């Protein structure tokens, strides 16, 4: 797949990042995606399986990154659990829905840029707020150096989680996550209906998995380079643990 300039820069930054397990996981994810496209004409179930593995490897990389950076509660993340790894992209979707619900309708846009300062390239988050004189822009430093509160409590993203569950025709979020985690089994093992000798996919399949991996890589590149704990990262980790493990967080709002 041909990547555009921003993603090419992200891959370059990955190659230059410190030699840690988190980096190895992301490089493994990219390798799986590259091999998946070559495999498709020969063995498409295995090509699909490599795409699923690429997503899980990227998720593992992000989990290891949070542990390497010492985020509170990161020890609860289980990179060996398929449910945890397959919950990250749904959680990203929930966060994107929160941004859509909370900001874009009010003329606030959030974008990612590659910036350079003192011979260092890095991924920056830029916020643009519409005004009578044109957009007013600023970039938090570090990128996630902010927090959202409602009635003095951090967001649990309950409304967006409920919307996500409804979109999947499920009863609760864990049903959605179990379904995501089980998709790898559907291309590996036989069922009463037969076995997966060949599986039809749409042209959108491979690009979708590249987008999933690159979304997690962008987050990694905005977390891993910074020694300090970034508030939004910690808040998101707490909300994620509450979602996947039902860990009660006293300072998370129960309704929003």
């Amino acid at each position: 797949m041909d990547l555009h300039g921003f993603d090419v820069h992200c891959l370059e930054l990955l190659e230059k990042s410190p030699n840690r397990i988190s980096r190895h996981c992301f490089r493994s994810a990219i390798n799986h995606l590259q091999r998946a496209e070559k495999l498709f004409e020969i063995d498409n179930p295995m090509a699909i399986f490599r795409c699923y593995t690429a997503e899980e490897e990227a998720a593992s990389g992000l989990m290891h990154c949070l542990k390497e950076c010492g985020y509170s509660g990161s020890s609860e993340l289980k990179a060996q659990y398929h449910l945890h790894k397959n919950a990250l992209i749904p959680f990203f979707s929930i966060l994107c829905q929160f941004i859509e619900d909370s900001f874009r309708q009010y003329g606030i846009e959030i974008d990612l840029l590659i910036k350079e300062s003192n011979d260092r390239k890095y991924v920056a988050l830029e916020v643009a707020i519409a005004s009578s004189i044109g957009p007013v822009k600023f970039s938090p430093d570090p990128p996630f150096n902010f927090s959202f509160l409602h009635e003095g409590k951090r967001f649990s993203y309950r409304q967006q989680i409920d919307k996500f569950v409804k979109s999947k025709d499920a009863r609760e979020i864990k049903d959605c996550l179990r379904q995501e985690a089980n998709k790898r089994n559907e291309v590996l093992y036989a069922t009463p209906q037969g076995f997966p000798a060949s599986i039809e996919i749409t042209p959108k399949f491979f690009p979708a998995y590249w987008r999933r991996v690159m979304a997690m890589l962008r987050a990694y590149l905005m977390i891993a380079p910074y020694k300090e704990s970034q508030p939004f990262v910690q808040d998101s980790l707490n909300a994620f643990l509450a979602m996947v493990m039902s860990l009660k967080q006293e300072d998370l709002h129960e309704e929003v």
Side-chain angles (χ1 to χ4, degrees):
M1 178 177 168
D2 293 329
L3 301 177
H4 61 74
F6 183 85
D7 287 337
V8 170
H9 285 302
C10 287
L11 292 179
E12 290 172 352
L13 290 173
L14 174 63
E15 289 302 315
K16 295 176 181 177
S17 61
N19 204 23
R20 299 170 181 158
I21 188 171
S22 56
R23 173 179 179 263
H24 299 326
C25 287
F26 276 102
R27 296 182 76 232
S28 173
I30 300 301
N31 180 60
H32 277 296
L33 289 173
Q34 292 170 338
R35 290 178 177 271
E37 293 189 66
K38 295 176 182 177
L39 251 183
F40 179 68
E41 296 297 331
I42 305 168
D43 188 347
N44 73 340
M46 284 299 99
I48 293 168
F49 181 69
R50 277 191 177 272
C51 288
Y52 294 163
T53 304
E55 178 183 346
E56 291 196 357
E57 280 284 68
S60 295
L62 200 50
M63 291 181 191
H64 284 299
C65 169
L66 295 172
K67 294 178 181 182
E68 290 162 359
C69 292
Y71 279 90
S72 177
S74 60
S75 60
E76 299 290 341
L77 296 169
K78 308 299 182 187
Q80 71 272 28
Y81 287 5
H82 292 296
L83 189 141
H84 279 207
K85 291 183 286 191
N86 283 277
L88 268 178
I89 286 297
F91 186 70
F92 273 36
S93 297
I94 287 161
L95 291 180
C96 288
Q97 186 63 56
F98 171 78
I99 291 170
E100 188 69 34
D101 295 343
S102 306
F103 300 106
R104 291 214 169 101
Q105 62 175 314
Y106 300 110
I108 302 174
E109 294 292 335
I110 300 174
D111 200 6
L112 299 181
L113 306 171
I114 298 292
K115 291 190 174 183
E116 191 166 356
S117 176
N118 298 323
D119 296 325
R120 181 179 78 91
K121 278 187 178 180
Y122 59 96
V123 179
L125 187 150
E126 183 177 83
V127 181
I129 303 174
S131 73
S132 58
I133 59 172
V136 177
K137 299 180 179 181
F138 66 93
S139 293
D141 184 25
F144 295 123
N145 189 28
F146 55 86
S147 189
F148 299 121
L149 298 175
H150 181 71
E151 297 177 344
K153 292 191 173 185
R154 294 175 294 174
F155 282 75
S156 64
Y157 308 108
R158 170 52 51 196
Q159 294 177 5
Q160 287 75 30
I161 291 172
D162 290 344
K163 190 179 293 187
F164 180 84
V165 170
K166 186 176 180 181
S167 74
K168 300 295 184 181
D169 293 322
R171 291 184 304 170
E172 59 181 12
I173 187 64
K174 286 193 175 180
D175 293 333
C176 301
L177 301 181
R178 279 191 287 268
Q179 187 176 16
E180 281 291 310
N182 189 56
K183 65 190 178 186
R184 62 192 301 280
N185 294 330
E186 294 172 358
V187 301
L188 290 177
Y189 304 117
T191 68
Q193 289 73 42
F195 66 94
S198 182
I199 301 172
E200 289 188 17
I201 60 172
T202 71
K204 297 179 179 179
F205 183 84
F206 287 119
Y209 276 85
W210 271 102
R211 286 194 296 271
R212 289 178 178 216
V213 169
M214 294 309 296
M216 287 185 274
L217 176 58
R218 292 166 184 173
Y220 173 75
L221 293 172
M222 290 189 285
I223 298 171
Y226 301 95
K227 294 180 180 179
E228 60 265 54
S229 178
Q230 300 181 66
F232 183 67
V233 177
Q234 185 65 64
D235 294 350
S236 297
L237 173 57
N238 291 349
F240 179 81
L241 290 173
M243 182 182 82
V244 299
M245 299 181 66
S246 301
L247 289 181
K248 188 167 180 60
Q249 307 274 353
E250 295 297 335
D251 60 344
L252 285 183
H253 202 289
E254 293 184 358
E255 297 178 6
V256 298

